[in-house]
């Protein structure tokens, strides 16, 4: 995440959410190492909202086998805690610049698709 200042990461063992190098939260209840089994389907949804709307600017949700498992949100107040480079990445995303997707996986993976 330090090398990718605009990255929004949710996962790991123990799971945590990072934006750039800044920890946003530590989601409870979902541990990929424990819960993701052979044949599991895992999806991620990144929601980007206009800076003028109420609610989070960015929200990253993880769904496993059709069930919401984890969520992390970046609220306007959180911008102050980010590095300048990461703050600019958030502002560019909410201004309409499409974010990049990156998937890091381990174990036996059948396929990965970014849409």
């Amino acid at each position: 995440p330090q090398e990718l200042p605009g990255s929004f990461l949710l996962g790991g063992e123990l799971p945590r959410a990072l934006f750039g190098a800044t920890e946003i939260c530590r989601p409870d209840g979902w541990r990929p190492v424990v819960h993701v089994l052979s044949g599991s389907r895992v999806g991620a949804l990144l929601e980007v909202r206009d800076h003028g709307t109420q609610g989070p600017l960015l929200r990253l949700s993880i769904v496993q086998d059709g069930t919401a498992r984890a969520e992390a949100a970046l609220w306007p107040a959180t911008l102050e805690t980010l590095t300048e480079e990461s703050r600019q990445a958030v502002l560019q995303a909410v201004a309409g610049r499409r974010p990049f997707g990156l998937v890091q996986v381990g174990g036996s993976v059948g396929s990965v698709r970014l849409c």
Side-chain angles (χ1 to χ4, degrees), residues 46-70:
L46 176 62
E47 298 173 78
V48 180
R49 298 175 187 238
D50 185 276
H51 198 310
T53 62
Q54 292 212 342
L57 298 173
L58 302 174
R59 181 185 349 239
L60 181 58
S61 303
I62 302 293
V63 176
Q64 179 188 333
D65 300 319
T67 302
R69 302 297 288 207

Side-chain angles (χ1 to χ4, degrees), residues 25-101:
C25 68
R26 290 185 179 242
D28 291 333
W30 181 65
R31 292 183 56 197
V33 169
V34 173
H35 296 108
V36 177
L37 307 172
S38 179
S40 291
R41 295 181 62 107
V42 178
L45 172 66
L46 176 62
E47 298 173 78
V48 180
R49 298 175 187 238
D50 185 276
H51 198 310
T53 62
Q54 292 212 342
L57 298 173
L58 302 174
R59 181 185 349 239
L60 181 58
S61 303
I62 302 293
V63 176
Q64 179 188 333
D65 300 319
T67 302
R69 302 297 288 207
E71 179 181 290
L74 189 67
W75 295 83
T78 313
L79 288 176
E80 299 170 9
T81 67
L82 301 176
T83 65
E84 181 59 30
E85 202 172 15
S86 290
R87 192 171 24 259
Q88 288 304 315
V90 172
L91 296 176
Q92 288 174 2
V94 299
R97 182 172 165 223
R98 300 179 84 183
F100 294 99

Side-chain angles (χ1 to χ4, degrees), residues 7-30:
S7 62
F8 200 168
L9 173 113
L10 178 55
E13 180 61 30
L14 296 166
R16 59 190 183 141
L18 300 169
F19 192 87
T22 304
E23 185 171 309
I24 305 300
C25 68
R26 290 185 179 242
D28 291 333
W30 181 65

